[in-house]
Amino acid sequence: RLDKSLIYKTLNEKANIEGKAIASQQLGLVFDGVEYAYQKTKLILKYMPEYTLHDGEHLLRVLYLMEKIIPNNNLKELSIPELTLLILTAFFHDIGMAPYEEEIRSWKQDWKDENPNDVEIELFEKFNRFASSYPERLEEIEKLESLGKTEKAILLKSHLISEYIRNTHAIRAREIISKDWSGRIQYQEQDLTAYFAELCFSHNEDTMKLLSLETDVLCGENTNLNLPFLGIVLRLADLLDFDGKRTPSVLFSHLAVRNSVSLLEWEKHRSIKAWSITSNSITFSAVCKHPAIEASIRKFCDIIDDELKNCNVVLAKLNLDSKYKLELPTNVNRDKINAERDIATGEPKYIYHDTSFQLSKNQVIDLLMGTKLYGKPEVALRELLQNSIDA
């Protein structure tokens, strides 16, 4: 399947023109990296059973979506290390969702020996700090355990671990690359491992952080590497993998997903029936069984709109060479997102309205941050001091 990738074909062609040594080095690196990531991401379902799929299929689709984002003429002008890193980041960006077994055991306080070692204590303390930000969940777990409802308590604990993995997966990706791939991501004699790790980390960061990455890494004679461009392509391709293939019906029914957020995510993806991505338009076709699912899909389209806008801003600020230009639409076409129709009547099963309630931001800020709340400035200062002591 990798052989069918346009990015891989382009890399293969260019590397062989450079000579057997370069071809052997780069193609061997790609195959080793893809094999490693494809196998390792199979563990994600073990640790995050109720999340939408982040397996090898997702990684191959991210690679395919990269090809939809980069114009063909521009793809041919990219350097060999840029093509190599596009493939590797497509496969490694979610590697942090497959933590090492010793990490999982430490989070569960399932120590290897009777007493935990320093590494296990450090791992647990990091997880415990995260878990402490969910006091209601911890109270519920404690209550369930006191009532003897062990199975439900374990389920809630597993949700916490899954959420921790998701929140920290970009950091962990960098750590895994450092541990297992240090010095192995190379072009000729140039070690690109640190740049590679930074790209994988960047996909979960704010888009504007890409502005701090190097735009002209010298890898060899007339061979350069543009990190912000690769970062933009990765984050867009990852975000645009939004369809039913990530939530196959058979797997969904067997998993019996119970978490309310997970249910909404799975149903959101399963409602997407088709999509089209061109330089002028991004369109998702969705048939929704419930207005909450449609609202979730439209909200996700808003996220894509924001990402498209931010990526366009980054590209404009960097003022890059023409080969790094991307023809991106400004927003997602929502015309094909509709309610499921009743077969007997032909009528939609619901009528969707984008209705919500929101606090008046200015009035709330005026109430809580003006002089009305305390009356005297001294009282406000006293409260600030008291809050700092409490914290």
Side-chain angles (χ1 to χ4, degrees), residues 326-346:
L326 296 177
E327 298 169 357
L328 300 174
T330 54
N331 51 48
V332 175
N333 182 346
R334 295 157 172 79
D335 293 345
K336 302 294 183 182
I337 301 171
N338 298 304
E340 186 176 62
R341 292 185 175 273
D342 186 292
I343 296 174
T345 64

Side-chain angles (χ1 to χ4, degrees), residues 51 59 108 115 157 161 197 219 230 242 267 358 386:
Y51 276 74
L59 307 182
K108 293 180 177 180
N115 295 313
K157 281 181 182 177
I161 288 174
C219 300
L230 300 180
F242 176 43
E267 287 291 356
Q358 290 179 315
Q386 185 61 53

Side-chain angles (χ1 to χ4, degrees), residues 289-390:
K289 295 180 179 180
H290 192 278
I293 303 302
E294 183 168 342
S296 180
I297 291 172
R298 289 180 179 274
K299 186 177 180 181
F300 193 78
C301 288
D302 291 341
I303 293 171
I304 296 174
D305 285 352
D306 286 341
E307 194 61 58
L308 288 168
K309 179 186 72 176
N310 292 335
C311 288
N312 276 316
V313 167
V314 169
L315 288 170
K317 280 179 177 285
L318 292 172
N319 193 26
L320 302 174
D321 188 81
S322 60
K323 69 178 178 180
Y324 299 120
K325 299 296 183 185
L326 296 177
E327 298 169 357
L328 300 174
T330 54
N331 51 48
V332 175
N333 182 346
R334 295 157 172 79
D335 293 345
K336 302 294 183 182
I337 301 171
N338 298 304
E340 186 176 62
R341 292 185 175 273
D342 186 292
I343 296 174
T345 64
E347 296 295 319
K349 291 187 175 179
Y350 63 85
I351 297 173
Y352 181 80
H353 292 286
D354 186 12
T355 307
S356 62
F357 296 94
Q358 290 179 315
L359 290 172
S360 172
K361 182 180 176 183
N362 292 336
Q363 285 180 291
V364 171
I365 289 174
D366 187 45
L367 172 66
L368 298 180
M369 298 182 69
T371 57
K372 295 176 184 177
L373 189 61
Y374 296 113
K376 296 180 180 180
E378 301 84 36
V379 182
L381 287 171
R382 183 199 71 198
E383 288 300 307
L384 283 173
L385 286 167
Q386 185 61 53
N387 288 343
S388 67
I389 291 167
D390 291 342

Side-chain angles (χ1 to χ4, degrees), residues 50-52 247 252 256-270 293 296:
E50 296 191 358
Y51 276 74
T52 52
T247 52
F252 179 81
V257 179
R258 287 163 283 191
N259 180 276
S260 59
V261 176
S262 295
L263 278 169
L264 196 61
E265 283 297 304
W266 280 74
E267 287 291 356
K268 177 178 75 176
H269 283 272
R270 291 178 72 224
I293 303 302
S296 180

